[in-house]
Amino acid sequence: MPEKACTNCHFITKQNICPKCKSSSLSDDFGGLVIIFDPENSAIAKVMNIKEKGTYALKVR
Ligand SMILES: [Zn+2]
């Protein structure tokens, strides 16, 4: 399974359903991987409204 990005929360997953928000709206057309280690202290996480650590896509089309 190729990696896909959730169009809702931008989480990167190889599953058919996003494990974070349970959305089945996933796209293989994404760019800019960002790895969030510490959402509490990450400016990017705040901008993207990320609450949990993980790998996310900056842009999902
Ligand atoms: Zn999601």
Side-chain angles (χ1 to χ4, degrees):
M1 284 290 286
E3 290 186 323
K4 293 189 174 186
C6 174
T7 59
N8 185 45
C9 71
H10 291 201
F11 189 75
I12 302 290
T13 182
K14 290 182 179 178
Q15 300 172 39
N16 290 323
I17 293 176
C18 175
K20 292 287 181 196
C21 68
K22 310 300 180 193
S23 169
S24 59
S25 179
L26 304 171
S27 172
D28 57 8
D29 189 7
F30 62 88
L33 285 181
V34 57
I35 300 170
I36 305 294
F37 292 106
D38 189 359
E40 295 289 310
N41 294 299
S42 167
I44 298 170
K46 284 192 173 70
V47 168
M48 293 177 67
N49 201 27
I50 291 168
K51 302 284 194 297
E52 296 177 64
K53 62 183 175 182
T55 307
Y56 297 83
L58 272 180
K59 292 177 183 171
V60 183
R61 287 171 219 96

